[in-house]
Amino acid sequence: MTWLLHKLIRHPWSASIIFWQISAVIFLLHRFFINLVEQVPINWPAYIASMEALHLGWGLLSVPVLRWLGKHKIQSPCKWFFISIAIALLHSALTTILFACFIIVSPGHLGLESDEIIFRIVRYLVASPVISWIVAILILLAWYGWQFFVQYEEQRNRTAELQRELVNSQLQMLRMQLNPHFLFNAFNTISMMMRVGRLQEAT
């Protein structure tokens, strides 16, 4: 498990794409089981394309966003709010372009009529910013939580290192205090033995 985690960290683009593709599959399965109960007609090719565009957009956008956040220390909640809006708008534009490309290049245009294609694209562009904004806030919160965890671990390691250094210093001071007394007592014992004639024991 640790090996896999290090592998994903070394390849952030692959990790991002894989993570968001797994999320897309979960959403599709969720919609599939709901549809089994409700029995509502749905254009599955168009729905799959919309979900794929949404999650692929985040897969492509997450790495540069997180790298930018790593270089810029944002502390103000107001700045966080405007950054989340900017990220949401950027993601919305990107996913709309991806969705339009999926419709254009797919055989049969995902089962959409020619007069319905523009309507679907415009509706996607209008609806996606809200979802993108919610996800952007979640990403920022996850980033903040990760940074807090990293700082906590660094602080904990520094504290442990300082405690080890303190214990070593205390042990060293005890050795410095004990050694002279030990030598003094040893020499004093030898001297007393020589005075009373116990030369063999003193040597």
Side-chain angles (χ1 to χ4, degrees):
M1 190 65 181
T2 305
W3 173 84
L4 179 60
L5 181 61
H6 286 299
K7 198 76 173 176
L8 292 176
I9 292 174
R10 289 179 191 151
H11 302 85
W13 289 98
S14 300
S16 178
I17 296 294
I18 292 172
F19 172 82
W20 288 107
Q21 288 303 305
I22 293 173
S23 177
V25 171
I26 293 173
F27 271 87
L28 289 172
L29 288 174
H30 178 260
R31 182 60 186 171
F32 174 76
F33 288 116
I34 289 178
N35 196 62
L36 284 179
V37 177
E38 296 179 349
Q39 294 295 322
V40 177
I42 185 172
N43 184 339
W44 279 107
Y47 184 78
I48 292 173
S50 66
M51 286 292 102
E52 182 63 24
L54 182 71
H55 291 84
L56 183 59
W58 281 121
L60 297 173
L61 200 59
S62 294
V63 174
V65 166
L66 293 178
R67 285 179 176 174
W68 186 88
L69 290 173
K71 294 179 181 178
H72 301 81
K73 304 300 181 183
I74 309 299
Q75 302 294 337
S76 171
C78 185
K79 289 183 178 180
W80 278 104
F81 177 76
F82 285 110
I83 288 172
S84 67
I85 293 178
I87 295 172
L89 293 176
L90 181 60
H91 176 261
S92 179
L94 176 60
T95 54
T96 303
I97 293 172
L98 291 172
F99 182 56
C101 291
F102 290 155
I103 294 175
I104 293 171
V105 302
S106 64
H109 302 300
L110 302 178
L112 301 174
E113 300 294 335
S114 56
D115 57 343
E116 190 181 4
I117 293 176
I118 300 299
F119 170 76
R120 283 294 188 102
I121 294 175
V122 172
R123 188 179 70 173
Y124 190 90
L125 179 62
V126 172
S128 57
V130 176
I131 299 175
S132 299
W133 183 61
I134 294 173
V135 177
I137 291 177
L138 294 176
I139 291 176
L140 293 177
L141 289 175
W143 170 256
Y144 179 79
W146 173 255
Q147 289 296 104
F148 177 81
F149 173 76
V150 170
Q151 292 176 2
Y152 170 78
E153 284 295 310
E154 291 177 352
Q155 182 65 32
R156 192 167 68 91
N157 292 334
R158 283 197 296 267
T159 302
E161 183 64 27
L162 289 174
Q163 288 177 343
R164 284 193 294 269
E165 292 179 359
L166 178 61
V167 170
N168 291 334
S169 299
Q170 290 174 341
L171 289 174
Q172 186 66 25
M173 291 179 63
L174 287 174
R175 290 193 190 99
M176 292 175 65
Q177 292 174 357
L178 290 174
N179 287 341
H181 292 292
F182 174 78
L183 293 175
F184 174 80
N185 291 334
F187 287 135
N188 187 49
T189 301
I190 294 171
S191 176
M192 291 296 297
M193 288 181 177
M194 293 180 68
R195 287 178 184 175
V196 296
R198 299 164 61 185
L199 299 178
Q200 188 174 358
E201 295 181 20
T203 56

